[in-house]
Structure formats: C-alpha cells, structure tokens
Amino acid sequence: MTEQQKSASRDIPDPRNLSFKKPISAAVLLITTLILIHHGLLQRLRIRSLKGAGYAKDQSYYLDLTYYVDRLHTQLPDVSDISPETITDRVNAINSLCPNPRQKFVMERLVTHLHQVVLETNLTTEEWMTTVQFLTGVGQISTNTRQEFILLSDVMGISALVDSINHPRVGGSTENTVLGPFFTEDAADIPHGGSIASDKEKGIPMLVCGRILDTSGQPIPNAKIETWETDAEGLYDNQYADRQGPDYRGRLRSQEDGSYAFRGIVPIAYPTPGDGPVGDLLKSLGRHGFRPAHLHMMIEAPGFETLITALFPRGDKYLKSDAVFGVKTSLIVDLEDVTSDEEARAKGFESAPFKLLKQDFVLVGQEEAKKARAERAAKMV
C-alpha cells in the first residue's frame, strides 16, 4: 500500500464497509459546482427553490445548500493550469470536498486509475472520442428490457469480479454467479411443480427439483425462487420485439420442508446480443459472444443473503470460455434421463421422456456473509 493510500485509509473510516446511502450528495456537489463556476456567486434564492420544488424527498439528510456553498466557496482548491503531471491530484483535491466518505474514496481511486490508463497508453484524441461514442451507443441501445451496460460489465469481467467480492463462499454454500442482462421483475407466480414454459412442443422437457437449505442443513420454508431461461431458439422472452408477457421464467416458493420443483426445458447455449456496441467490441477483440447452456436462479429468504446463481449442464462446449465469465465448477450439473410415462404424468408432463435436474441450494445467513466479507476485505488491505 502506498503512502497516499495509507493516508486515504486514515481519513476515511473503513470505506469498503460503507455504502452510497445518500445519493443526493452527488447531485448537491454537481449543483454547487455549476453555480460556483458558471455564475461565480451564491444564488440562495435558486438553491432554496430547489428544496421547495421537492428535489430533496428525504428531509432527514437534505443538506442546507446555502450553508454548504458558503463553506465550499472558501475551500475550493486551485485547479487552473493543469498538466499531465498535476491533473490527477487537482481532480482528487476538488473531489475531496465530498461529504460521503465512501463516494469520496471510490471517486479518488477511480480518477487515479483512469488517469493512469490514459497516461500509460498515451491515449489519443481520436481514441478518446471513439470511447465516448461507444459509451453513448451503449446507452442509446439500452431499454427497460435490454441492459447493454450490464452486458458490457459482464464481458469485461466486472460483473463477475463484483459478485465474487461481495459474495464469498461460506462453507458448503451455493456459489453465486452473474445476474446477466435478461432478468425482469414481471415473472408469473407458479405453483409447486408448475411450468415456466408456455410452448410444450419445443425443447426437451426438464423437471428441476431439490431443497433450499441453510449452512447447517436445515430447510428454509417459503423462500422466494425466481428462475428464467431461454426458449428452444436460444432467446429470452424480452429479446422479442412483440413480447406479450413473461415466458420461460417464473416465481415460486419453497415448501415447509424446503423443497421446490418446477418444469421447464433443457437450456441451450446461445450468443449474447451481437447487434449492439458490445457485440462490436467482442468482434474487434477476436472473442466469441457465446454463453454455455444455463438456468438462472435467484433465491431470497428473510435473514439470508440473496443468492443469484445459475446451473450449467455438463458437456457444453462453452463451459471453459463463457463470454461473461460466469461458470463455476460447483455449478456444473448432470441431467438424468427419465423414461417412465407414469412418472412423467405424475410430474405434470404428457409423456416421457424428460430430463431430471436435482439440485439443492444452500443460502448464507446475513451475519455469516457479513463476517466473510469483512475477513476478505481485511486480507486485501
């Protein structure tokens, strides 16, 4: 750790354990900086009008902007006449007035490393503009049902890294993996043993069942389970322009004994969307955009960490080269063949054969998870 980092750690109490609980602070800084730079005076009337117009919904943490601007005006560092050697310190100096310790810490590290990349690569103006246009395109193609920024985070390995940092494995708990960009909030509720797939004619039928347990092996009843997968064409329902509603996704609850069961289809490998900026990026890097076959699962229960994970059938050729770095060996599963018509009808299928996927999920208690994160953070200091 450098002296600069040690100094920052003394000034900012346990920044890794803090969070952005007051997002208005960023807006406050932006507003006050614009006022100071563009007008050069304190516009108390305008500031008070912002408060009166309802910009601060939570009065418990609303900052008195008039006082804040008065204080800030006397503390602004000189950021004129910058050079490649001085600009990083100047930017961090003016950002250091941020009242949120965690935001201040993250921004200081972000600015430092971004500037370092620019300096190390001797970034050209054309390359900078290409980056700006690329990010603009990522935003423009994103919609309520397509999140290109999550896809960008996924293919850069950032999603997997954030997930690994925040969800260290505890004992025999089920490992997390990336959420992906295709989760939606509108999944239909299905009964125990119900189906998430509407089309009975396409895909290989599959029954998924098991139990939801804690780390001591005790069942967790009434856990909320969200599951989603592609259809037999390798597309999620929200990739269709004429989507009428949720399909190949569902929401159910675990039983009193922790058991769960639902019907779907055997997942297949598919390419991530290649018609946008992220697809172009992968092509330029000489990378494929395929994900191995997988079934998404998200499980929530009071007192436990939310588990976001996926199951990957063994044998898929993309298991070792997943475009979003989401495969973990413990999540690779075997499917059983069931050929009994009687058993098929008992499970809700019209006839055999069908595939059987048995998998228990082990959730981590919130206190267990908090302790594991603290231990990991201590090792990183």
Side-chain angles (χ1 to χ4, degrees), residues 40-339:
L41 50 85
L42 306 179
Q43 299 194 18
R44 290 177 173 83
L45 182 59
R46 179 174 298 179
I47 293 169
R48 290 192 181 112
S49 73
L50 289 177
K51 184 175 180 180
Y55 279 77
K57 300 299 183 183
D58 186 348
Q59 298 298 320
S60 65
Y61 68 77
Y62 181 81
L63 295 176
D64 184 336
L65 286 182
T66 303
Y67 165 77
Y68 191 70
V69 173
D70 282 333
R71 182 174 68 86
L72 183 60
H73 185 65
T74 63
Q75 297 181 3
L76 282 175
D78 182 0
V79 296
S80 62
D81 297 322
I82 63 91
S83 69
E85 292 74 29
T86 64
I87 188 169
T88 303
D89 288 340
R90 300 286 177 85
V91 175
N92 284 332
I94 200 166
N95 287 346
S96 69
L97 300 169
C98 175
N100 185 307
R102 175 63 176 172
Q103 183 179 2
K104 175 182 173 180
F105 173 76
V106 172
M107 285 301 297
E108 188 272 335
R109 293 287 81 208
L110 181 63
V111 168
T112 298
H113 290 300
L114 283 176
H115 285 205
Q116 186 176 4
V117 169
V118 173
L119 288 168
E120 287 182 355
T121 60
N122 197 27
L123 199 71
T124 67
T125 302
E126 291 74 21
E127 289 168 336
W128 168 77
M129 181 54 69
T130 298
T131 302
V132 171
Q133 292 172 341
F134 170 79
L135 293 174
T136 300
V138 170
Q140 290 172 335
I141 203 170
S142 296
T143 67
N144 290 335
T145 56
R146 174 175 179 168
Q147 240 302 354
E148 192 83 353
F149 269 110
I150 290 182
L151 182 59
L152 175 60
S153 175
D154 289 348
V155 303
M156 295 292 287
I158 296 173
S159 300
L161 178 58
V162 171
D163 179 75
S164 296
I165 290 172
N166 285 275
H167 299 97
R169 194 174 188 184
V170 177
S173 63
T174 302
E175 288 193 276
N176 272 59
T177 190
V178 295
L179 175 68
F182 297 110
F183 171 74
T184 67
E185 301 279 356
D186 64 348
D189 293 316
I190 63 172
H192 181 77
S195 177
I196 66 172
S198 63
D199 194 339
K200 298 180 180 180
E201 303 301 322
K202 296 182 179 180
I204 301 173
M206 178 177 69
L207 176 70
V208 185
C209 61
R211 294 185 300 162
I212 312 300
L213 308 170
D214 64 19
T215 52
S216 64
Q218 295 301 306
I220 302 175
N222 203 38
K224 183 174 77 170
I225 303 167
E226 298 254 10
T227 183
W228 64 103
E229 64 173 332
T230 68
D231 61 17
E233 306 299 325
L235 294 172
Y236 289 94
D237 58 359
N238 53 355
Q239 290 183 273
Y240 289 98
D242 60 348
R243 180 182 191 260
Q244 300 298 311
D247 200 5
Y248 293 90
R249 63 179 75 237
R251 182 185 302 113
L252 64 153
R253 296 275 179 173
S254 61
Q255 305 296 291
E256 284 301 312
D257 62 353
S259 65
Y260 74 91
F262 64 89
R263 286 172 287 132
I265 62 172
V266 174
I268 63 173
Y270 64 88
T272 56
D275 60 339
V278 175
D280 293 339
L281 174 64
L282 290 179
K283 293 173 187 174
S284 73
L285 294 171
R287 288 174 53 183
H288 74 71
F290 275 84
R291 295 220 62 200
H294 60 280
L295 173 72
H296 289 279
M297 302 286 288
M298 184 189 324
I299 305 172
E300 300 178 56
F304 294 89
E305 288 284 289
T306 296
L307 173 65
I308 298 174
T309 192
L311 302 176
F312 300 85
R314 193 180 307 278
D316 193 289
K317 67 179 181 179
Y318 296 111
L319 285 175
K320 296 292 186 180
S321 61
D322 182 8
V324 306
F325 310 97
V327 178
K328 296 179 180 178
T329 301
S330 68
L331 301 177
I332 297 176
V333 295
D334 293 301
L335 306 182
E336 301 176 23
D337 291 307
V338 180
T339 58

Side-chain angles (χ1 to χ4, degrees), residues 344-360:
R345 287 190 291 270
K347 299 301 183 183
F349 299 107
E350 293 182 355
S351 62
F354 69 90
K355 296 287 188 177
L356 177 62
L357 194 171
K358 294 181 179 179
Q359 183 71 22
D360 293 342

